[in-house]
Amino acid sequence: MTSTVPLESSLVAKKKVFVTDRDVSRGTSAPLGATVARGGIDFSIFSRSASGVELLFFDSEDDPRPARVITIDGATNRTYNYWHVFVPDVKPGQLYGYRVQGRFDPGTGMRFDPTKILLDPYGRGVVVPKNYSRQAARREGDNSGTAMKNVVVDSSLYDWEGDAPLQRPASRTIIYEMHVRGFTRHPNSGVSEIKRGTYSGLVEKIPYLQQLGITAVELLPVFQFDSQDAPQGLVNYWGYAPISFFAPHQGYSSRKDALGPVNEFRDMVKALHRAGIEVILDVVFNHTAEGNQDGPTLSFRGLENSAYYILEQDRSRYANYSGTGNTLNSNHPVVRRMIVDSLRYWVEQMHIDGFRFDLASILERDESGNLLPNPPVLRDIDSDPVLAGTKLIAEAWDAAGLYQVGSFVGDNWREWNGRFRDDVRSFFRGDEGTVGPLADRLLGSPQIYGHKEREAVASVNFVTCHDGFTLNDLVSYDHKHNEANGEDNRDGVEDNKSHNWGVEGPTDDPVVEKLRNRQVKNLLAVTMGSLGLPMILMGDEVRRTQGGNNNAWDQDNETSWFDWSLVTKHADVYRFVAFLNRHRLMQEFEPEFEGLSLNQLLRQGEASRAWHGVKLGQPDWSVHSHSLATSVECRNQNLRLFLILNAYWESLEFELPPLSNHDDLWHRRMDTGLDSPDDIVEWRTAPAVPSRSYLAGPRSVVVLFARIGDHLSPKR
């Protein structure tokens, strides 16, 4: 194919310039994106309604004009709805983008703008110019010099040195939800300035994660996002503003070369795997950074707007089930394929172990926003053989009020259990009517998941996450304090089920501070001790604070960063969490239950489990009750356990079950009412309880154990 392209038609050149491309050839429609082939690169992109497509090469991300423009001939280089071309002698590292011609008629859903540089939806790498401008992508006119560009990536060049996803059983997984930048960005992190807030910086802190005892990190969004998608003067810190579903975020790389972010990300994954730590990505397939009808044209909007987005009946407006301006049309065949291809890429080429799907319920909506009984995209993900060993976690709700905890579609999915969060918070705050719900949460929430044979770890148990108060702030503030977000404190959830215990915010009062410390340990103990898959938030193990901000999505500063001085200040809490992680309470002593449903597991332990109040066999399920005890016999561990949960504001004396051998004694493994190091101890050093009752202090969690048979201590 030979094409002569007048650049004046692209609205970029100031004078008439011609480029002749006699060496390009037809290429192929598959695979999509920029694919390294013999002697060059195959480029392919989807657009059903475009009238013309130009492929642009740049020498630098800041270049105001492309170095080369190739017109993709619609007659010879288009197969069905796919525009493709093979360009010889192009190598990995080449910067590129697209310009697409077509109708601009918002009333019919058409929003083509040939003056805008568009990212390739399948682009494996993205560069961001120093003067990147989101506003320029909104205004009329060319934005070549201020637009993000793609990078050609050859995935085969990286040496994984035998690495592969770990596929750790979910029953032996402890998730640490964290932010790549926030983890090491603080000046006191001990990481060199050039590596603070980067993938490499995280690698330097792997020993900390190992000592803490977590088994998986769940990274807040690392797909390339638009950091300018935020109020004036602020930045999008969390990263819930994706613009590429295949490229790692450039801003988290310490390397400045175009291919640096891809390889540095892989280095991080490989290092975490060597440490026995899985990598789970928080993925956002419910919306993009292009926003509503007034938003910028960055990629999808300018390629095939009505395919990629759910539009209102007035086709000029976007449905907003995400609460961020637009909603991805995830069950459209092209979008559905892109989502599955993205997941497969991150597993096969980036060795990712799992995914947490933000606002996953949106993936059940059709192009009109109605719920589908069997959403194709979820069925595709659930049944894909490449994803068969991958952890799939759903945030089973959306911003339009759809709440599906316990009823999310699919067999291989686990769910963020928001009811666990709320019920555990309410119990330890002292709310009425919370004992019954708490008991259900301890057992893996069978009232939620018992309606079908779900796995015993279907519930992802958490009390805090990135969205809301940190654990410290949950016990330090009655109200949110989000003034810094620029929305007059109107943003963020109002009902946090929090309590300040006497003082709003920081205090030097030793009585208040001691109670807060105890409540932090209580909440962590129940999170780690309940049946399910536990998750803790970055910094909760050292009482990280956000100053009462429960929606710090635009705070890229010390409000959100991990303050490493807290590791020393709150060493007792860190020690407590490390003990919990090493010896998962209750779950540690259950039989190996990987593959068993929750109902099967509960039936196995039904005969040996009993509920109690302060009197044996007399649990108080009344609305006014604030305490509960349970005993469990774990014969495979030669062990009996007695758990006391006292959310009452006074000490309570609990009768202890008699032991078969009168010479045997109960031993105290944990008591959050005691100061460190007596709050939690090793099994072999656990002190005996000399009496047949135990005095549990106000607002405390106690774990006692006794041996069965001749064994001195539980099995390791």
Side-chain angles (χ1 to χ4, degrees), residues 58-322:
F58 295 85
D59 293 334
S60 168
E61 61 263 34
D62 298 303
D63 287 352
R65 294 182 180 84
R68 185 180 183 188
V69 178
I70 299 170
T71 294
I72 301 179
D73 192 316
T76 60
N77 289 62
R78 180 177 181 177
T79 303
Y80 189 42
N81 296 323
Y82 299 93
W83 303 70
H84 46 82
V85 64
F86 174 79
V87 186
D89 301 325
V90 178
K91 293 179 171 45
Q94 174 65 57
L95 308 186
Y96 72 100
Y98 287 94
R99 280 199 298 254
V100 178
Q101 292 82 36
R103 291 169 55 201
F104 183 82
D105 185 5
T108 62
M110 301 286 192
R111 288 184 176 270
F112 292 103
D113 185 347
T115 70
K116 297 297 180 286
I117 304 298
L118 304 180
L119 288 173
D120 178 356
Y122 277 71
R124 267 52 170 176
V126 173
V127 294
V128 183
K130 298 179 183 64
N131 60 338
Y132 166 71
S133 173
R134 181 176 174 85
Q135 289 301 317
R138 294 178 58 190
R139 296 190 300 263
E140 291 185 6
D142 170 64
N143 72 330
S144 296
T146 61
M148 299 184 200
K149 284 94 176 174
N150 284 115
V151 185
V152 175
V153 174
D154 184 351
S155 299
S156 68
L157 296 179
Y158 185 78
D159 183 4
W160 278 104
E161 301 178 280
D163 179 79
L166 299 180
Q167 296 193 348
R168 181 189 299 275
S171 59
R172 295 292 177 260
T173 298
I174 301 169
I175 295 175
Y176 188 74
E177 190 201 32
M178 64 182 299
H179 190 283
V180 171
R181 178 171 169 82
F183 193 50
T184 63
R185 179 59 186 84
H186 201 288
N188 67 9
S189 67
V191 175
S192 63
E193 186 172 357
I194 193 172
K195 290 187 177 181
R196 288 178 198 157
T198 69
Y199 305 121
S200 293
L202 192 157
V203 170
E204 292 191 18
K205 291 296 184 178
I206 287 177
Y208 174 87
L209 298 174
Q210 289 179 295
Q211 292 164 12
L212 183 60
I214 57 93
T215 70
V217 291
E218 182 174 302
L219 306 180
L220 265 68
V222 296
F223 291 178
Q224 181 64 47
F225 62 88
D226 186 355
S227 61
Q228 293 184 11
D229 187 8
Q232 185 70 29
L234 298 171
V235 299
N236 193 308
Y237 169 72
W238 281 353
Y240 291 93
I243 198 55
S244 175
F245 298 116
F246 291 81
H249 187 60
Q250 185 202 41
Y252 296 159
S253 176
S254 63
R255 293 177 51 173
K256 304 308 177 186
D257 58 297
L259 294 174
V262 177
N263 289 332
E264 187 173 335
F265 180 90
R266 288 165 155 179
D267 289 344
M268 176 194 69
V269 173
K270 187 163 58 176
L272 284 164
H273 283 174
R274 284 174 174 168
I277 298 173
E278 292 185 306
V279 181
I280 299 171
L281 300 186
D282 190 337
V283 292
V284 186
F285 291 118
N286 58 76
H287 73 278
T288 79
E290 291 188 305
N292 62 18
Q293 57 274 6
D294 298 319
T297 299
L298 303 171
S299 179
F300 312 98
R301 184 196 304 265
L303 287 167
E304 193 66 42
N305 186 56
S306 60
Y308 283 106
Y309 295 111
I310 298 178
L311 304 179
E312 297 283 12
Q313 189 171 0
D314 172 1
R315 306 287 285 173
S316 68
R317 306 182 72 84
Y318 293 82
N320 189 20
Y321 300 108
S322 67

Side-chain angles (χ1 to χ4, degrees), residues 540-554:
D540 277 355
E541 72 278 9
V542 293
R543 292 185 56 182
R544 184 178 71 87
T545 179
Q546 293 181 168
N549 192 324
N550 75 349
N551 190 35
W553 70 279
D554 56 4

Side-chain angles (χ1 to χ4, degrees), residues 347-636:
V347 171
E348 292 182 310
Q349 301 299 329
M350 308 297 267
H351 290 200
I352 293 304
D353 302 275
F355 304 94
R356 176 265 185 189
F357 291 73
D358 179 64
L359 299 181
S361 292
I362 285 178
L363 301 180
E364 298 192 21
R365 296 186 183 272
D366 65 16
E367 62 182 8
S368 299
N370 301 314
L371 290 188
L372 294 163
N374 287 292
V377 68
L378 292 182
R379 290 303 183 188
D380 287 352
I381 295 169
D382 195 47
S383 62
D384 190 280
V386 172
L387 306 178
T390 303
K391 292 179 174 66
L392 302 176
I393 301 170
E395 183 184 37
W397 54 83
D398 69 18
L402 183 60
Y403 192 80
Q404 297 177 301
V405 172
S407 61
F408 193 74
V409 173
D411 300 321
N412 195 33
W413 292 83
R414 297 168 181 88
E415 300 171 9
W416 268 26
N417 191 346
R419 288 172 61 181
F420 180 97
R421 172 198 61 206
D422 295 343
D423 291 338
V424 173
R425 287 183 179 191
S426 295
F427 175 79
F428 283 108
R429 189 172 66 170
D431 295 356
E432 294 191 336
T434 57
V435 170
L438 179 74
D440 194 67
R441 304 300 159 257
L442 288 172
L443 298 180
S445 299
Q447 290 180 1
I448 300 174
Y449 298 107
H451 63 283
K452 58 180 180 178
E453 294 294 329
R454 295 294 296 270
E455 285 183 279
V457 285
S459 173
V460 176
N461 299 332
F462 69 103
V463 174
T464 56
C465 65
H466 69 277
D467 190 2
F469 278 147
T470 66
L471 197 52
N472 176 82
D473 292 358
L474 185 68
V475 300
S476 301
Y477 293 90
D478 279 351
H479 310 286
K480 62 185 173 69
H481 297 269
N482 298 357
E483 291 80 8
N485 295 352
E487 300 182 41
D488 297 322
N489 206 35
R490 294 189 302 270
D491 63 313
V493 176
E494 295 290 343
D495 181 14
N496 296 282
K497 304 187 186 307
S498 63
H499 192 46
N500 65 24
W501 303 106
V503 179
E504 186 75 354
T507 181
D508 293 328
D509 187 324
V511 175
V512 173
E513 181 60 17
K514 187 172 184 176
L515 176 54
R516 288 178 178 176
N517 216 50
R518 186 160 70 250
Q519 288 285 49
V520 164
K521 293 177 182 178
N522 290 339
L523 292 161
L524 288 165
V526 170
T527 300
M528 299 306 301
S530 299
L531 193 59
L533 200 168
M535 183 185 80
I536 59 177
L537 173 64
M538 178 186 86
D540 277 355
E541 72 278 9
V542 293
R543 292 185 56 182
R544 184 178 71 87
T545 179
Q546 293 181 168
N549 192 324
N550 75 349
N551 190 35
W553 70 279
D554 56 4
Q555 298 299 310
D556 186 9
N557 50 49
E558 293 190 18
T559 297
S560 300
W561 300 341
F562 192 113
D563 180 357
W564 288 87
S565 70
L566 297 175
V567 177
T568 300
K569 181 177 181 180
H570 294 295
D572 66 314
V573 180
Y574 178 86
R575 173 186 176 275
F576 184 83
V577 178
F579 264 77
L580 290 175
N581 289 344
R582 285 201 304 271
H583 308 290
R584 276 289 308 278
L585 296 177
M586 296 181 68
Q587 180 169 314
E588 177 189 3
F589 311 116
E590 294 286 358
E592 291 292 331
F593 54 79
E594 187 66 21
L596 292 180
S597 72
L598 175 58
N599 286 341
Q600 289 171 324
L601 182 60
L602 292 179
R603 285 195 293 268
Q604 284 189 6
E606 200 169 14
S608 63
R609 181 180 292 107
W611 297 104
H612 314 281
V614 292
K615 298 290 185 181
L616 287 175
Q618 299 180 34
D620 183 356
W621 302 110
S622 73
V623 69
H624 302 297
S625 175
H626 298 285
S627 64
L628 183 68
T630 185
S631 57
V632 183
E633 187 172 291
C634 308
R635 289 200 168 273
N636 73 311

Side-chain angles (χ1 to χ4, degrees), residues 650-667:
E650 294 180 3
S651 298
L652 295 175
E653 187 97 16
F654 286 81
E655 290 181 353
L656 300 180
L659 300 173
S660 56
N661 187 333
H662 292 295
D663 294 329
D664 285 345
L665 295 172
W666 288 95
H667 290 74

